[in-house]
Amino acid sequence: MNITRKVINDTYYVGGSDNRLNLFENLFPIPNGVSYNSYVILDKFNVLVDTVDESIKELFLNNVKYILNGKKLDYLILNHLELDHASVIKEVIQNYPKVKLVLNEKAFNMLKAYDLGLEVEFILVKEDTKLNIGIRELSFVFAPMVHWPEVMFTYDPLNKILYSADAFGSFSTLNGNIFLSETKLDEYIIDDMRRYYTNIVGKYGRQVQSVLEKAATLDIKLICPLHGHIIDTNFDILFDKYTKWATYNYEEKGIVIVYASMYQNTKNTAFKIANELSVKGIKNIKIYDVSKTDVSYIISDIFKYSNLLIASPTYNGCIYPKINYLIDDLLMLNVSNKSISLVENGIWACTSIKQMS
Ligand code: FEO
């Protein structure tokens, strides 16, 4: 079985989707699954851009074989070495022993830990390297910490394609429609993109800003990320979203109220505040029980809205553990530019605000 699609002219999609995985990175719920994208460019020298996760290995290898149709594979470009994209390098080398691995120095050093145990030739690239593959020269944009230090983008000037690694990626399987223009850029797609970005790459806003500036200088017709739809439309909307997320600026005025509550008292306080805010004309009010909703959804909405209110009971003289986890996550992700209010509760030692502050 193979499932492939033509992206444009001589370029093909050879990735696939997994909807059996419950937790991405064994951490983030993905009720709609996830795709692992990979691409083949056919030219005088044929190129594979990244591999995939182990879970879709067999389909991926069939896809590559089908598209090559007996032709040789000359280069495997490694834009990102996280294992959801680098789990099948060994099998690609085994199937195509003359393939050369194209990567930067940081990736080369990291790859040693993968212990491939195979003889293979490497081509180390820098940002000014041009890789001539026939009728075009591929170039490279280094994107350190988007989302690992070795990450780079590959640019095809002929088809005006930016292979953007994790950037512009999203949760959810690709359900036949691999191009964004084949579906509707609705709130569900944006929500998946935001939850992916904010939780996976959200910490590295400064680096994302820097790479967005570099990308803005390129003539781009298609963005081919490693997860989610190929972006062929709505560039302005998406660049605006990514710029807001990267700078921790809100998309909409509104408030996220997150509470923990053991006996409904803190919960009632949260809902009372929401009620009063509504009376005062606040339209966007999202309320989350931190014990009920996975923190990745809450983080995503915190990026989206301007204000945040956290209400926590005092628990064993400390912050309620799940609120503590949320705050740790906010700190880890460098979330800033938010107006934050704190509410505490407690009968015999009311200390959670002090500690949350
Ligand atoms: Fe999709 Fe950073 O890997």
Side-chain angles (χ1 to χ4, degrees):
M1 169 75 79
N2 65 75
I3 311 172
T4 62
R5 281 283 294 276
K6 179 184 262 202
V7 174
I8 186 172
N9 304 328
D10 44 23
T11 301
Y12 295 84
Y13 181 88
V14 290
S17 290
D18 179 11
N19 55 12
R20 297 177 69 182
L21 186 70
N22 288 317
L23 297 174
F24 186 75
E25 295 186 352
N26 207 17
L27 191 57
F28 306 109
I30 44 170
N32 301 319
V34 67
S35 73
Y36 304 108
N37 302 342
S38 170
Y39 308 90
V40 166
I41 308 167
L42 299 178
D43 202 326
K44 181 179 171 194
F45 299 103
N46 301 313
V47 178
L48 177 61
V49 183
D50 288 298
T51 75
V52 293
D53 185 76
E54 174 82 17
S55 59
I56 61 160
K57 176 168 74 178
E58 192 178 334
L59 174 70
F60 163 72
L61 291 170
N62 286 345
N63 287 349
V64 174
K65 187 176 172 190
Y66 175 76
I67 292 299
L68 286 175
N69 191 23
K71 299 184 194 77
K72 61 194 175 16
L73 180 66
D74 299 283
Y75 299 117
L76 167 58
I77 295 176
L78 299 174
N79 281 328
H80 185 17
L81 281 188
E82 191 165 10
L83 287 170
D84 52 338
H85 313 294
S87 282
V88 194
I89 296 173
K90 191 168 184 169
E91 287 80 358
V92 169
I93 299 169
Q94 284 168 334
N95 288 3
Y96 307 95
K98 294 198 171 152
V99 70
K100 298 181 177 79
L101 302 195
V102 179
L103 70 181
N104 60 37
E105 191 177 3
K106 276 186 193 151
F108 176 74
N109 289 326
M110 288 166 63
L111 196 63
K112 290 172 188 161
Y114 287 34
D115 197 19
L116 293 174
L118 296 169
E119 285 293 316
V120 65
E121 193 174 327
F122 294 96
I123 296 180
L124 293 194
V125 299
K126 297 187 171 153
E127 274 203 295
D128 57 2
T129 302
K130 306 277 187 221
L131 181 69
N132 189 318
I133 62 167
I135 58 172
R136 81 203 87 189
E137 285 184 329
L138 301 177
S139 59
F140 305 93
V141 177
F142 286 13
M145 302 319 298
V146 187
H147 116 256
W148 277 16
E150 86 296 357
V151 170
M152 63 182 190
F153 301 167
T154 298
Y155 179 63
D156 170 0
L158 185 68
N159 289 323
K160 303 189 191 322
I161 298 179
L162 184 70
Y163 296 93
S164 65
D166 277 339
F168 301 99
S170 181
F171 290 135
S172 286
T173 55
L174 292 177
N175 305 326
N177 297 329
I178 67 167
F179 294 95
L180 194 57
S181 62
E182 294 175 333
T183 183
K184 198 168 132 213
L185 184 63
D186 56 19
E187 63 182 297
Y188 301 105
I189 287 187
I190 296 278
D191 282 351
D192 270 333
M193 283 181 168
R194 185 190 305 102
R195 193 164 69 88
Y196 174 84
Y197 171 86
T198 54
N199 286 281
I200 309 290
V201 193
K203 178 181 176 75
Y204 305 109
R206 193 171 49 78
Q207 291 88 342
V208 173
Q209 282 174 61
S210 145
V211 86
L212 284 174
E213 283 164 20
K214 285 189 204 172
T217 65
L218 298 170
D219 185 6
I220 298 171
K221 190 170 168 188
L222 296 172
I223 296 176
C224 290
L226 289 175
H227 305 282
H229 290 97
I230 294 171
I231 296 168
D232 60 341
T233 183
N234 295 116
F235 289 96
D236 289 348
I237 292 173
L238 293 178
F239 267 86
D240 179 60
K241 295 276 182 205
Y242 273 87
T243 301
K244 285 187 171 123
W245 299 336
T247 53
Y248 307 98
N249 281 311
Y250 58 85
E251 291 167 64
E252 292 180 35
K253 273 219 162 272
I255 186 162
V256 178
I257 297 175
V258 191
Y259 69 85
S261 191
M262 289 178 281
Y263 304 106
Q264 307 231 39
N265 297 302
T266 313
K267 181 209 90 177
N268 286 339
T269 303
F271 277 86
K272 185 172 177 64
I273 291 169
N275 196 43
E276 309 248 332
L277 288 172
S278 181
V279 169
K280 286 184 186 300
I282 306 296
K283 295 261 183 290
N284 291 315
I285 305 173
K286 299 294 277 288
I287 302 187
Y288 288 107
D289 179 341
V290 76
S291 298
K292 201 168 176 187
T293 304
D294 182 80
V295 77
S296 65
Y297 293 89
I298 303 173
I299 289 287
S300 181
D301 260 354
I302 289 172
F303 271 75
K304 180 176 179 181
Y305 293 110
S306 54
N307 289 60
L308 169 65
L309 184 147
I310 305 176
S312 175
T314 303
Y315 190 89
N316 281 339
C318 302
I319 306 167
Y320 191 84
K322 293 201 173 190
I323 292 286
N324 206 18
Y325 179 81
L326 171 71
I327 291 172
D328 278 349
D329 214 12
L330 291 170
L331 289 170
M332 186 184 71
L333 294 171
N334 288 331
V335 174
S336 50
N337 285 345
K338 300 288 167 193
S339 297
I340 301 179
S341 311
L342 300 172
V343 173
E344 67 181 350
N345 196 0
I347 301 292
W348 50 268
C350 204
T351 63
S352 63
I353 276 191
K354 187 166 173 232
Q355 295 178 62
M356 287 194 285
S357 299

